[in-house]
Amino acid sequence: MKTLLKKVLLLTVISVLLAACGAKSNDSSEANDSDKKQTDDGFTIGVMLYNYTDVQGKEIKSYGDYLAEHFNVNFNYATVGTSEEDHIAALENLIASGVDAVISGYDTSLEQSLQLAEQAKVYYGVALGDVRDDVSSEYFVGGLYNFGEKPETIGAQYAQAAYEAGVKNIGVTSFQEFAFVDAPAIISGFKEKLAELDPANEITVYDTEYHMFGPEDVSSAVTKVISDHPEVDAIFGLGSGMDFVYPAILNSTKPDIKVLALGYNDSTPAALENGSVLAAGTNNYSQIIANVFAQLYDRLNGHEYTDWELNGSVDYPIFSSVEEVEDFQKYIVPGDKSNGAVTVEELKQVMKTFNENATWQELQQLTTRTLSEIKEAR
Amino acid sequence: MKEVTHINGANARSGGLSKFLQFTKANKNIFIQYSSLILVFSFFMIMSNGDLLSVVNLQTIIRQLAVLFIITVGLMFVFSHGNMDISVGGVIALTSMIVTFTLNAGASLFVATLVAIVVSVGCYLLNIFIANQFKLMAVIASLAIMFSTRGVVTYMVSTSNESIKVEDISKLALFSSNLTFTITSLIVIAIVGIVLFNYSKIGKQNKAVGDNPLAAMQSGVDVKKSKVISYLIAGIMIGFASMFSLARSYTVSENSGMGLEMDVIVALVLGGMALSGGSKSKISSAIVGSITLVLLNNGLIMIGVRPEIVSLVKGIIFLIVVFFILRRPRTEVIPR
Amino acid sequence: MDKEVFLETVNLTKKFDEVLAVDKVNMQVKLGEIKGLIGENGSGKSTISAMISGLHRITSGDIYINKKKYTPKNPLDAREKKISMIVQETGTINNLSIAENVFLGDEVRFKKNTFVNRKKMMVEAKKALEAVELDVDVTKSINTLNFEQRKLVEIARALYYNPTLFIVDETTTALSHEGRVLIHRIMRRLKSENKAVLFISHDLSELMEICDSLTVLRDGNFIRDFEKEQFDENEIKQEMVGRELEGDFYRSDYDGTSTGQVVFQAKNVSAQGLKNINLELHKGEILGIGGLSGSGMHELGKVMYGNIRLSAGEVLVYGHETPSFFQKLWKQKDKQNTGNMSPEAKPIRLTNIKTAIANKVGYVSKDRDQETLILEASVKDNLTLSALDKLDSYGLITQKAEKRFAQEQIDSLLIKCSSMNQTVRELSGGNKQKISFGKWIGNDSKILILDSPTRGVDVGVKTKMYQLLYDLKQQGYSILLISEELQELIGMSDRILLMKDGAITKEFHRSEKVDEKTLIQYMI
């Protein structure tokens, strides 16, 4: 009895597999059908992120929910693993679930992902980074410069904050270049600006300490900076400045070292207030999603910018005072996104679907507004 | 005597239901074995209004199944020893990287596949060699292999200017887009796995060693050799699986294969395997478990479960399965 | 008959699923009396003691203690009622200290604030062990003790709680002569202190010697009570087995001659604890090896099996060179043509288990459950494990071949199991032992090294075992019978070698004149 049952089950599995194989040819028509079906009750856009529990994930999701309220779309948020295999699998699963477009956080396996997107006639955009210009696909809406088109200016802003705070010996820590492509540009912008502000050369910036992705890697990088340069009085932390570098310094032998942080979390306002953090910054996730979404939505409705380019840009807000943090919380990451960085009304103005004269450049202008510009617009 | 007839009478009266219950009872181990698959399958089948079995999705599932299925079947031989392996992700990454170099150097697919198997077998033999030589638990040896393979790949990725990828992707077409080949491979591997595990000396000795190495040794099992063979089988299968893995993305990064080691363990538990190994290990755990896990990941996205509760849903399903396994009927020992 | 009844069972019944293990048993245990409980394997005697001590729940019926109803839910309930039990299986936990094992589960006793008062525990443990005359460092790990000493630790644990009812379940089988004497003394002491003792054993002569009354069980049913003055060995045996026992317990012939053809040999062997051993086993011979448990006889068994490395000398087995893989293939093709064996048997040096098995040497360890059987595996898997090479045809082992093989052994040895897929752990001691025989007999092992083969089996099974050994001998099997039971050696062996301090001290040939007293001289 036992073996019989087993055999039956095994046979079922095999025959199901074979059936799938035999029916392969119907593939494309099937995909078209599902396309049409979706149009009637709105589009579905898949989102692929490592998690939805950190600031980044929460912000992206809440902005997505805001968009879903005002446009004829649904979002299917998928949590993906970090490996290529996991990325592809999640994309396949989204496609199989019938999404019309996908916002991927990352450019993992971009070529293979685009191949899948093309096969399934699904539009694809990369949100959290720019992409190399050797890829192209009619279903691809491109990537985003998350640190603006010129990352050097971000470095310059941090340099300004450092100079104003009067620190003299600055260490730099960062993720390695292969993982954080913009790091060298930001650092060189930082150094150049300091040289310009400080012609007497009173401020020293040490060589960058590169590290891997774990908190313990960051912590040992910080320790190394302190032991190599005991006189260090500030660290420019590019590798998760708030989440990793700041706690690492608090736990080090010199907890009074000031932090210039790329990053933001709940402890930032307090740290800025007591002066242990000189400046912090974070991506403007509303702008990021607004930018990718606008392009995907237009494409789904058959519109395309004539002045389209591969990589768009968004602003990277930096704040060095308590007031600026308050503004940031109020205008960039508010709970109610209709007061946020990009409102639906503003967005529709630059979308082809709603405004025939809209251009890609206007979209970029909208999504690169700085904190003060957004504040003015409210 | 009177008592007995009375009981029989009661049985006869309840009729059909009791027959059904008897059937369930007699086959309850099988039901438990497949319970997770049945549970996951029916849950998502209902929730997705049958889309789970759409042609597109079935193809998707098979593609995703390939890597996990093959390595889980391979590692079954290691796990049935009561050993644990957590190096598989790293080994796949290293193997994929070396295969990429081989292909880019102009080698044929056949040569590349051989290279994959050689590299992976090498890693696994090193694994068991370390464990045997230093009398370590196999899981600790595999930890060392995990760190070193992952380390080599991360170093290569971080020092090369270009991303490491296969230049001529058409070479890998057999593994990437030929679904017939994939299905055939899976069936062949399942059959090879079942035969080796259930109908050969290798599998039988494996299980004996997992239960009681001393008794196995006294029954003429060469315990060391049996372990080496199981790592050899795992190595071959994993080498083959890395070809499928590479053909999915054509690129190798420091994240390649990340998390696979955990997936294997989760799959085996979902398949009803007690991780202590021994004679209760069944090859069907690997087969059923990997299918269940892929279905689970697929289904969760298919029906668009909110990301906040994905972990919760997984947790509940896991809990139910583990509950079943823990409650596996342990017939009370009848003392003399 | 004015002794006070301490414990009484009324219609006590226990079912495991559908199996009725104990069926409406009524019996009494009185204070100031040693009560014996006897029956064949599976007669339900251990189940009764397990119910009394709270290890198993009662299915129906009642137990009364001092006329009050008593329904134990766990062993702690039993302890509260001053009932202690020592079980057949090892009840100590490895890697804990001896003292911790003495007070297993009752560390609370020494709790001071939040911590366990180690010092006090050590002192108390020492005291507890004095009662069993075990003088060891209690802070050491239990692993440093041998099997017998561990058993004594368990006894000490049971006695520490000053029990009114002391249950001894098959424990003496694990003990040497000295250990038995000691536990008998303990039981008698308890009796003189007006405590009750329930003694469960398969060893009838031991029970008859110690007990004041006996209860015989068969197939879960109460059969009969015997008072001391009614004790009659044959009658009790008959009641246990339910039929007339045929013939003698041991083999009846006194023909100690054998073919003279040497099949197995140790030449000047020295190894771990063994000094210059020489022995020859002939075809169709039962060679008994006797001695105290520390005499090296158990090691000798392992040495002969290639399990312990030699420091000098050699073990030779007369057989044929192992055919290589290709020769095997050739043989398989050639099978139907001729069944001819190469005529000359050559001496082959036996250096490891593999050569031993290849040359048809089988070994059943004294520690059967740990070393010979895989308790978690099925009857079939256990039987086939050492015969995989035999069952293998072209790299495949079919279910059919396995089943046929297992069924043959089950049938020929009359192994009682619900199916060949039953887990071995669930079987009784006698049936486990049959399986460990079966795996070698099935694999055509013509030389059997049997270390304490009747340990832990009862009289009915023992008889069958002896019959089996004799049959095997008749069929030309050569048996190295290592045993601590002198009666068994005298009863079964063609020759007996006695060992002391790792050396062979004396050889006896089979004769009516050999008796225990003569043997003991050469052992101590």
Side-chain angles (χ1 to χ4, degrees), chain C residues 227-255:
Chain C
E227 289 303 324
K228 181 121 195 159
E229 50 279 11
Q230 305 168 308
F231 284 2
D232 177 281
E233 193 171 339
N234 283 330
E235 210 176 321
I236 297 176
K237 274 188 190 167
Q238 267 176 39
E239 295 287 12
M240 279 169 65
V241 186
R243 61 187 137 75
E244 295 273 342
L245 281 174
E246 284 163 38
D248 247 341
F249 204 55
Y250 303 112
R251 60 190 265 208
S252 50
D253 68 303
Y254 282 97
D255 175 18

Side-chain angles (χ1 to χ4, degrees), chain C residues 51-212:
Chain C
M51 279 191 282
I52 295 175
S53 55
L55 290 172
H56 288 320
R57 293 291 190 89
I58 298 164
T59 308
S60 69
D62 300 302
I63 305 177
Y64 295 92
I65 288 181
N66 292 329
K67 307 259 186 290
K68 267 186 240 147
K69 197 169 163 179
Y70 159 74
T71 0
K73 291 190 185 61
N74 52 49
L76 288 180
D77 286 353
R79 185 183 283 175
E80 218 166 85
K81 297 281 178 209
K82 296 258 169 212
I83 297 173
S84 285
M85 164 154 122
I86 336 171
V87 291
Q88 189 175 4
E89 291 87 13
T90 343
T92 51
I93 294 182
N94 276 347
N95 299 328
L96 289 182
S97 76
I98 295 168
E100 280 165 331
N101 263 297
V102 172
F103 296 108
L104 209 57
D106 198 29
E107 291 84 357
V108 195
R109 176 177 290 266
F110 302 103
K111 210 167 128 177
K112 216 166 89 182
N113 304 324
T114 36
F115 297 103
V116 172
N117 184 345
R118 298 264 155 202
K119 222 176 199 168
K120 197 173 161 212
M121 187 160 157
M122 298 302 162
V123 174
E124 289 296 307
K126 194 94 197 155
K127 236 187 254 171
L129 290 179
E130 269 165 25
V132 293
E133 297 168 20
L134 189 62
D135 184 26
V136 289
D137 182 357
V138 294
T139 56
K140 281 207 173 145
S141 159
I142 191 94
N143 304 18
T144 58
L145 300 187
N146 64 27
F147 191 76
E148 181 168 330
Q149 289 170 315
R150 288 184 194 201
K151 218 70 222 179
L152 291 176
V153 169
E154 281 176 66
I155 297 171
R157 176 176 13 171
L159 287 178
Y160 183 82
Y161 298 100
N162 195 18
T164 311
L165 175 58
F166 183 52
I167 306 174
V168 181
D169 187 356
E170 301 267 11
T171 304
T172 50
T173 42
L175 298 178
S176 66
H177 184 71
E178 298 94 317
R180 282 186 192 208
V181 171
L182 174 68
I183 197 163
H184 293 166
R185 200 158 62 226
I186 292 168
M187 283 193 264
R188 290 202 175 103
R189 195 191 79 212
L190 289 171
K191 176 185 164 185
S192 70
E193 291 168 1
N194 202 32
K195 304 280 170 59
V197 177
L198 184 60
F199 186 19
I200 298 163
S201 174
H202 61 89
D203 189 338
L204 185 54
S205 53
E206 189 183 15
L207 284 179
M208 284 171 60
E209 187 193 331
I210 304 291
C211 297
D212 301 306

Side-chain angles (χ1 to χ4, degrees), chain A residues 20-328:
Chain A
C21 175
K24 195 180 161 192
S25 50
N26 307 337
D27 185 349
S28 51
S29 62
E30 184 83 18
N32 281 342
D33 280 355
S34 64
D35 259 359
K36 274 171 212 148
K37 196 172 65 194
Q38 292 295 329
T39 329
D40 301 332
D41 48 347
F43 297 111
T44 308
I45 297 179
V47 182
M48 299 167 70
L49 280 185
Y50 294 155
N51 74 67
Y52 294 88
T53 48
D54 60 1
V55 172
Q56 171 178 301
K58 279 185 196 156
E59 277 303 310
I60 287 177
K61 185 163 183 301
S62 78
Y63 192 73
D65 291 345
Y66 168 65
L67 290 174
E69 276 172 39
H70 296 89
F71 290 90
N72 196 16
V73 289
N74 284 310
F75 287 91
N76 187 351
Y77 302 98
T79 312
V80 301
T82 51
S83 74
E84 281 85 0
E85 172 84 25
D86 286 341
H87 184 88
I88 302 272
L91 178 57
E92 283 173 341
N93 288 339
L94 280 174
I95 289 171
S97 80
V99 295
D100 305 286
V102 171
I103 299 175
S104 164
Y106 327 97
D107 63 349
T108 314
S109 293
L110 189 57
E111 280 167 74
Q112 184 68 1
S113 300
L114 288 177
Q115 207 177 317
L116 282 171
E118 273 174 33
Q119 277 166 10
K121 301 187 166 40
V122 162
Y123 292 95
Y124 192 83
V126 174
L128 300 176
D130 53 305
V131 295
R132 293 187 318 275
D133 53 11
D134 56 355
V135 289
S136 69
S137 159
E138 52 172 327
Y139 285 91
F140 189 39
V141 301
L144 279 179
Y145 290 113
N146 276 231
F147 296 93
E149 220 160 329
K150 280 179 73 78
E152 287 84 354
T153 55
I154 290 172
Q157 279 175 276
Y158 279 96
Q160 187 73 40
Y163 179 74
E164 281 166 15
V167 289
K168 294 284 178 258
N169 301 297
I170 306 171
V172 183
T173 62
S174 169
F175 292 134
Q176 278 168 323
E177 196 190 327
F178 76 94
F180 187 2
V181 197
D182 291 323
I186 295 175
I187 295 168
S188 77
F190 180 74
K191 286 182 178 166
E192 275 164 28
K193 181 72 178 180
L194 271 183
E196 183 190 315
L197 290 169
D198 167 43
N201 238 344
E202 284 172 2
I203 302 175
T204 328
V205 178
Y206 305 119
D207 285 343
T208 309
E209 199 61 57
Y210 288 102
H211 54 72
M212 296 302 285
F213 313 108
E216 67 286 351
D217 300 319
V218 177
S219 166
S220 54
V222 167
T223 313
K224 184 150 189 299
V225 169
I226 296 174
S227 59
D228 286 356
H229 314 286
E231 68 287 355
V232 65
D233 57 2
I235 288 180
F236 183 21
L238 281 80
S240 228
M242 279 315 298
D243 288 337
F244 293 164
V245 181
Y246 181 54
I249 287 176
L250 291 185
N251 292 326
S252 74
T253 48
K254 288 191 72 179
D256 55 340
I257 294 176
K258 310 288 186 216
V259 184
L260 296 147
L262 249 71
Y264 167 84
N265 62 19
D266 294 340
S267 56
T268 311
L272 272 171
E273 193 163 21
N274 70 28
S276 50
V277 169
L278 300 178
T282 183
N283 298 95
N284 191 328
Y285 297 110
S286 297
Q287 289 179 344
I288 289 171
I289 296 304
N291 192 314
V292 184
F293 169 77
Q295 300 191 57
L296 291 174
Y297 193 81
D298 274 355
R299 293 285 195 98
L300 286 171
N301 284 302
H303 304 286
E304 202 169 339
Y305 293 114
T306 45
D307 59 341
W308 180 80
E309 286 173 35
L310 185 61
N311 286 307
S313 8
V314 291
D315 182 51
Y316 187 88
I318 297 164
F319 26 90
S320 49
S321 70
V322 181
E323 296 74 47
E324 279 174 324
V325 178
E326 278 166 4
D327 283 348
F328 169 78

Side-chain angles (χ1 to χ4, degrees), chain B:
Chain B
M1 209 48 219
K2 259 183 203 163
E3 284 289 323
V4 177
T5 43
H6 174 73
I7 291 167
N8 282 345
N11 262 352
R13 246 170 290 154
S14 39
L17 183 68
S18 81
K19 252 186 196 165
F20 174 73
L21 284 178
Q22 254 173 12
F23 175 79
T24 352
K25 207 171 177 186
N27 294 292
K28 70 182 154 190
N29 277 331
I30 297 183
F31 283 118
I32 291 165
Q33 187 91 41
Y34 295 93
S35 62
S36 50
L37 182 58
I38 295 166
L39 180 83
V40 169
F41 180 77
S42 33
F43 177 73
F44 288 120
M45 197 63 195
I46 295 163
M47 293 300 288
S48 68
N49 295 323
D51 283 354
L52 194 69
L53 281 188
S54 71
V55 177
V56 184
N57 199 44
L58 272 180
Q59 294 179 356
T60 305
I61 289 171
I62 291 165
R63 284 207 190 90
Q64 295 176 8
L65 188 59
V67 176
L68 186 67
F69 183 90
I70 298 172
I71 63 176
T72 313
V73 168
L75 283 175
M76 190 63 200
F77 289 84
V78 171
F79 277 78
S80 66
H81 267 152
N83 285 335
M84 194 172 271
D85 174 81
I86 54 171
S87 65
V88 57
V91 172
I92 289 232
L94 180 70
T95 311
S96 303
M97 187 177 80
I98 293 174
V99 168
T100 307
F101 293 152
T102 316
L103 283 172
N104 288 351
S108 69
L109 181 66
F110 179 71
V111 173
T113 312
L114 282 186
V115 167
I117 289 173
V118 167
V119 172
S120 158
V121 164
C123 288
Y124 273 91
L125 288 185
L126 186 63
N127 208 329
I128 189 63
F129 175 76
I130 294 174
N132 277 344
Q133 200 64 22
F134 302 107
K135 305 243 179 312
L136 288 173
M137 279 168 70
V139 64
I140 294 171
S142 78
L143 197 68
I145 300 288
M146 177 187 94
F147 280 126
S148 28
T149 46
R150 178 71 62 204
V152 169
V153 173
T154 308
Y155 177 78
M156 294 301 288
V157 169
S158 64
T159 49
S160 84
N161 299 326
E162 286 286 302
S163 63
I164 299 173
K165 64 175 189 180
V166 180
E167 280 155 12
D168 182 5
I169 61 172
S170 62
K171 273 186 176 172
L172 278 171
L174 184 63
F175 284 95
S176 67
S177 49
N178 191 333
L179 212 56
T180 320
F181 176 75
T182 309
I183 294 170
T184 319
S185 303
L186 293 190
I187 293 174
V188 167
I189 280 170
I191 291 172
V192 168
I194 291 171
V195 167
L196 282 181
F197 204 77
N198 293 340
Y199 303 103
S200 86
K201 213 168 121 178
I202 296 171
K204 291 185 176 293
Q205 295 195 339
N206 246 354
K207 283 182 264 185
V209 171
D211 266 328
N212 186 341
L214 200 59
M217 191 258 285
Q218 291 204 351
S219 302
V221 177
D222 187 335
V223 175
K224 261 188 192 169
K225 190 172 142 198
S226 159
K227 284 190 177 170
V228 170
I229 288 176
S230 72
Y231 274 83
L232 186 73
I233 294 173
I236 293 171
M237 299 255 188
I238 287 160
F240 193 58
S242 3
M243 295 305 290
F244 278 104
S245 175
L246 183 63
R248 298 273 289 162
S249 63
Y250 304 121
T251 46
V252 178
S253 77
E254 73 281 2
N255 287 328
S256 294
M258 196 78 109
L260 262 179
E261 51 279 346
M262 204 59 204
D263 288 350
V264 171
I265 294 172
V266 171
L268 286 177
V269 172
L270 283 175
M273 160 105 181
L275 292 179
S276 51
S279 53
K280 299 283 181 287
S281 333
K282 294 202 172 65
I283 188 80
S284 59
S285 295
I287 296 171
V288 174
S290 53
I291 295 176
T292 310
L293 183 59
V294 168
L295 262 184
L296 179 61
N297 286 332
N298 173 267
L300 283 172
I301 293 184
M302 277 297 280
I303 64 171
V305 175
R306 286 178 26 228
E308 298 93 329
I309 59 166
V310 163
S311 281
L312 191 68
V313 172
K314 279 188 184 174
I316 289 170
I317 290 173
F318 212 74
L319 209 66
I320 295 173
V321 173
V322 171
F323 175 75
F324 269 122
I325 294 169
L326 286 183
R327 290 199 27 163
R328 183 170 274 191
R330 258 191 150 205
T331 32
E332 243 182 307
V333 180
I334 305 176
R336 290 135 297 264

